[in-house]
Amino acid sequence: MAVTRTFSIIKPDATRRNLTGAVTKMLEEAGLRVVASKRIHMTREQAEGFYAVHKERPFFGELVDFMISEPVVVQVLEGEDAVQKNRDVMGATNPADAAEGTIRKTHALSIGENSVHGSDSDENAAIEIRHFFNDDEIVG
């Protein structure tokens, strides 16, 4: 398998509970390497742009409000088949359905406050990475 990159967000419910290190440790233990990371307070414009694909869905406003409510940690992760590896370690969106030992099973509070976001494809990873990082910020 090839070494690829993916995008990850440690969401407000996790940063509020000081879980940045715990989540990052789980990512690293799964074989992913953090090659860029920054703690930001996402603006409304950033959140609306990032989640534009969901603009017509009923939860869009609530999602944007949640993502701008407190700081998040945006990261670029690198590893073999990084997108799938990250999705595996995150677990199912609904923590009740997530496998034991996954981030969401361990740390999520609910389906809405599920602690992390991860890209769902290599193509979306590239788009999401560019949304928050310049090439010179990625040092892997």
Side-chain angles (χ1 to χ4, degrees), residues 10 18-27 29 103 107:
I10 302 175
N18 203 29
L19 296 173
T20 301
V23 170
T24 300
K25 181 179 181 193
M26 292 175 81
L27 295 168
E29 287 176 345
I103 293 168
H107 297 297

Side-chain angles (χ1 to χ4, degrees), residues 44 47-48 51 54-68:
R44 180 167 297 281
E48 287 176 348
Y51 289 108
H54 299 302
K55 191 168 182 78
E56 301 305 319
R57 307 215 36 204
F59 60 81
F60 178 74
E62 186 178 328
L63 175 61
V64 169
D65 288 345
F66 169 62
M67 292 303 292
I68 68 173

Side-chain angles (χ1 to χ4, degrees), residues 5-9 42 50 73-77 83 86 90 117-120 124-126 128-133:
R5 289 183 173 162
T6 192
F7 179 75
S8 173
I9 300 176
M42 202 180 292
F50 186 78
V73 176
V74 292
Q75 297 178 318
V76 180
L77 308 173
V83 168
N86 186 39
M90 284 191 313
H117 162 86
S119 302
D120 62 2
N124 283 338
E128 292 175 350
I129 289 168
R130 283 194 307 273
H131 197 82
F132 291 100
F133 291 95

Side-chain angles (χ1 to χ4, degrees), residues 32-115:
L32 294 164
R33 183 171 179 230
V34 178
V35 295
S37 181
K38 56 187 171 182
R39 184 178 181 94
I40 64 169
H41 203 135
M42 202 180 292
T43 66
R44 180 167 297 281
E45 294 75 26
Q46 282 175 315
E48 287 176 348
F50 186 78
Y51 289 108
V53 67
H54 299 302
K55 191 168 182 78
E56 301 305 319
R57 307 215 36 204
F59 60 81
F60 178 74
E62 186 178 328
L63 175 61
V64 169
D65 288 345
F66 169 62
M67 292 303 292
I68 68 173
S69 67
E70 296 187 53
V72 299
V73 176
V74 292
Q75 297 178 318
V76 180
L77 308 173
E78 187 175 83
E80 289 194 23
D81 196 15
V83 168
Q84 189 58 53
K85 190 170 285 187
N86 186 39
R87 295 192 70 74
D88 291 345
V89 73
M90 284 191 313
T93 303
N94 184 344
D97 299 332
E100 289 297 328
T102 62
I103 293 168
R104 289 177 172 148
K105 186 64 154 190
T106 304
H107 297 297
L109 299 173
S110 66
I111 194 167
E113 291 184 309
N114 62 18
S115 299

